[in-house]
Structures are given as structure tokens and as C-alpha cells.
Amino acid sequence: MGRGRQKAKATKQARDIKYYSPNTDYTALQRELKSSEVRAPSRFANEPVEPDYSAYVDKYADDLEEDDDEVHTRRIG
């Protein structure tokens, strides 16, 4: 297919998508939104709890401070 025909086909498809307006079933949408509200809190109950890393902060804090100093003292140019 030549470039002109290919571009015309793409333009036609884009126009079809742009002006496509399906019939909306508002009752189905309302049911879907209500069901997601009920399930929202239970979604987080199944996720694992993030471990507490506060014990490692003091141990590795010195290493992080030294790395920050190197970035600020580096010359460019």
C-alpha cells in the first residue's frame, strides 16, 4: 500500500474513533462504581506490611552523608 493510501486509511480510522459515541448504560456504570467502593478497603488488607528499616538508619547514615559531600565538591569543566 502506498504512503498516500496508508495515510488516508489512518486518518479515516482516527476520525472514526474521534467521533464514535457509544450508548452509555448508566445503571451498569452506577453498579460498577458502587461495587468498587465496597471492595476498596479490603484491597489493602491483603498487602504485606513493609518492614521497619529504622534500625539501619543510624548504621548507614555516615555512608550517605559522605556520598552527599562528594557530589557537592566535584568540579565540572
Side-chain angles (χ1 to χ4, degrees):
M1 187 180 321
R3 175 66 183 133
R5 288 176 56 195
Q6 184 179 4
K7 185 176 180 184
K9 184 177 180 181
T11 303
K12 181 179 184 267
Q13 289 173 341
R15 191 175 294 122
D16 289 343
I17 292 170
K18 181 178 180 180
Y19 295 112
Y20 176 71
S21 58
N23 294 331
T24 305
D25 184 6
Y26 293 106
T27 56
L29 178 62
Q30 186 177 14
R31 277 184 274 135
E32 184 178 340
L33 292 174
K34 281 186 178 181
S35 67
S36 67
E37 290 175 358
V38 173
R39 283 186 269 145
S42 65
R43 186 182 101 202
F44 297 109
N46 296 333
E47 291 183 11
V49 177
E50 184 175 333
D52 182 23
Y53 294 112
S54 61
Y56 300 104
V57 172
D58 293 332
K59 182 176 180 182
Y60 297 105
D62 295 335
D63 294 338
L64 293 174
E65 290 174 4
E66 290 174 7
D67 291 342
D68 290 342
D69 292 340
E70 291 176 10
V71 172
H72 296 296
T73 58
R74 188 182 328 167
R75 287 185 165 177
I76 299 175

